Amino acid sequence: MSRKFYMSVLILLMSVTLILSGCGTKKEPKEALQSAAATAMKMDSYVSESQIKLTDLTIDTSSSPELGAVYSMLKDAEINLTQMYQRDPMQTEASLEVKLTGDFSTTITLQFVMTKDKVFIKIPSIPFLPLPENVTGKFLEFDLKELAESNAESFNPDLLDTDKTQKLVAEIANVILAEYDSEKFIKDVDPKELTLPEGFKAKQVVQFYITNDTFKDAISILIKEALPKALDIVAKDEYREMLQLTPQDIEDAKKELGELNEDEFQKDLDEMQKVLKINEFTFNTAIDKDNYPSYQEMNMDVEFSDPDTQEKLKLAMEMNSKFTSINEAPNFKIGIPQDAITMEELEQEMNSFGY
């Protein structure tokens, strides 16, 4: 399979993880998750706040000073994303904050604005990457139509079409969840077990979870049962063209999955289980009184160990996301930039700065 196909699948799987969400009245857990995508489609506008935080990163860096520097930066790293979205007329603005620690301790903030036709990115001030003062703080403007024409092989503006991508993710989420047994992977949990945002009351909380004992089954279901059905969805013209895949790409992927050697596959899973230990992997979705998936959280704690070298790596992280102001008139803070600069203007300034 092509590199392009793998990247598309990775983006889809990440998106599926982020969109798992709630239901209407309290239902059987699996049914609640399967109805989540349809519920999410009703959000014509919202404000979302998300956080990803590394709570533990333990690795032996004694043999690699370069790795030690990277480790120092990433340990306790935190990513915060605030987004405001409106479906019609399409407008999104977002602020991404990346906090790094260690010798290069710094906070980098990126701001984005997107409409149906354009994307604006605010040029940040980065301590270890000096930029001309007269461009930092300004927005860089990209015309999506021009970008598509100049990068026909590598960029499709449909990938930024929120409605289309949400619809695709919803269909993918449904077929994947349909393959997982409620008795082993999906359950209701008491809302009291979660630290919910202040003022938020959950009508139902559903948890998708994988344990060390069910890890092999989870991967096997994903590869052998869920992915072939997900490929049928991706094969639809509107999605395939959006992901810039050819019919042959889809057929090649299906063929490779169909020719999977069962003995070798199980051997690979056994080897993986020898090096991977799952202490926790849970994804909770809290549904509010209006049946919206207004709060989600993921907790992951895994360990990797090399049986030959005895080297170990431990990774623990938390992710949470909440939605507010659903279907309310958005109060955009940035708005559509009126004094943005073009890429040509940026290049001129960078050249005069010595780059």
Side-chain angles (χ1 to χ4, degrees):
M1 285 181 278
S2 68
R3 178 177 177 272
K4 182 169 61 177
F5 173 80
Y6 281 117
M7 289 300 296
S8 299
V9 170
L10 177 60
I11 291 172
L12 286 175
L13 291 178
M14 292 174 66
S15 300
V16 168
T17 301
L18 293 174
I19 203 171
L20 291 177
S21 47
C23 62
T25 57
K26 187 170 182 178
K27 303 175 182 178
E28 185 272 332
K30 187 173 182 176
E31 181 186 358
L33 285 180
Q34 287 179 306
S35 67
T39 305
M41 295 303 98
K42 299 176 183 178
M43 292 194 290
D44 292 321
S45 63
Y46 57 77
V47 175
S48 68
E49 297 176 63
S50 304
Q51 181 184 73
I52 300 174
K53 186 174 183 179
L54 288 179
T55 55
D56 192 357
L57 179 61
T58 305
I59 185 172
D60 182 7
T61 62
S62 58
S63 60
S64 174
E66 294 81 4
L67 183 60
V70 174
Y71 167 76
S72 177
M73 260 199 316
L74 293 180
K75 188 177 182 182
D76 300 320
E78 183 177 315
I79 298 175
N80 298 297
L81 174 65
T82 301
Q83 180 183 10
M84 191 174 295
Y85 167 76
Q86 172 182 274
R87 186 191 301 270
D88 188 21
M90 192 278 173
Q91 186 173 339
T92 297
E93 64 179 43
S95 179
L96 176 67
E97 181 184 69
V98 180
K99 295 182 178 180
L100 301 176
T101 60
D103 295 336
F104 296 99
S105 178
T106 188
T107 298
I108 301 172
T109 301
L110 300 175
Q111 290 184 320
F112 307 84
V113 174
M114 185 171 70
T115 65
K116 182 179 180 181
D117 304 310
K118 295 184 178 181
V119 172
F120 303 86
I121 302 175
K122 191 173 185 178
I123 301 172
S125 176
I126 303 175
F128 46 84
L129 182 62
L131 297 173
E133 291 184 4
N134 55 337
V135 300
T136 55
K138 288 189 176 181
F139 279 89
L140 183 62
E141 178 181 334
F142 295 92
D143 185 288
L144 294 178
K145 183 178 180 181
E146 292 178 0
L147 199 61
E149 291 174 351
S150 61
N151 297 275
E153 295 297 320
S154 59
F155 175 74
N156 184 350
D158 279 353
L159 284 171
L160 301 178
D161 185 327
T162 305
D163 288 342
K164 187 174 289 188
T165 54
Q166 283 185 341
K167 184 181 176 183
L168 171 59
V169 168
E171 293 190 43
I172 295 288
N174 275 330
V175 298
I176 289 179
L177 286 169
E179 300 303 319
Y180 285 92
D181 185 357
S182 293
E183 296 298 320
K184 190 180 294 186
F185 298 104
I186 305 170
K187 66 180 181 181
D188 277 319
V189 297
D190 190 333
K192 295 179 181 179
E193 295 181 19
L194 277 67
T195 303
L196 297 171
E198 184 177 354
F200 181 87
K201 293 184 179 180
K203 180 169 63 176
Q204 183 176 5
V205 176
V206 181
Q207 181 180 96
F208 178 87
Y209 63 101
I210 298 175
T211 68
N212 210 52
D213 293 332
T214 62
F215 164 73
K216 286 174 59 177
D217 285 344
I219 297 299
S220 182
I221 290 170
L222 177 66
I223 300 297
K224 296 168 59 179
E225 307 297 335
L227 280 186
K229 295 180 179 178
L231 284 172
D232 289 333
I233 294 174
V234 174
K236 295 180 180 179
D237 288 343
E238 59 178 316
Y239 299 143
R240 181 182 54 75
E241 292 172 1
M242 180 180 72
L243 296 171
Q244 294 179 291
L245 297 171
T246 67
Q248 190 61 50
D249 289 330
I250 304 296
E251 287 304 314
D252 289 345
K254 287 183 177 181
K255 182 179 179 181
E256 187 168 329
L257 288 174
E259 295 175 349
L260 192 69
N261 184 289
E262 182 64 25
D263 291 337
E264 291 183 4
F265 180 62
Q266 290 301 321
K267 183 179 179 181
D268 289 340
L269 288 179
D270 290 338
E271 290 297 320
M272 191 179 298
Q273 193 163 45
K274 290 179 182 178
V275 302
L276 172 64
K277 178 183 179 183
I278 298 178
N279 298 315
E280 180 181 10
F281 185 90
T282 58
F283 193 96
N284 299 312
T285 297
I287 300 98
D288 65 19
K289 61 182 180 60
D290 296 318
N291 302 328
Y292 285 106
S294 297
Y295 181 73
Q296 300 162 306
E297 67 174 28
M298 182 191 77
N299 295 285
M300 182 178 72
D301 184 340
V302 298
E303 296 179 36
F304 300 89
S305 59
D306 189 320
D308 297 323
T309 65
Q310 302 304 310
E311 292 182 347
K312 294 184 178 181
L313 180 150
K314 182 176 182 181
L315 173 64
M317 64 184 296
E318 299 173 350
M319 183 197 80
N320 64 72
S321 180
K322 67 177 180 179
F323 292 84
T324 58
S325 302
I326 297 174
N327 293 338
E328 296 179 6
N331 180 23
F332 292 107
K333 296 181 179 180
I334 302 174
I336 300 175
Q338 300 300 312
D339 60 346
I341 63 175
T342 64
M343 179 60 74
E344 290 76 15
E345 291 171 327
L346 175 62
E347 289 176 351
Q348 290 176 3
E349 292 294 340
M350 296 295 283
N351 289 335
S352 64
F353 197 66
Y355 281 98

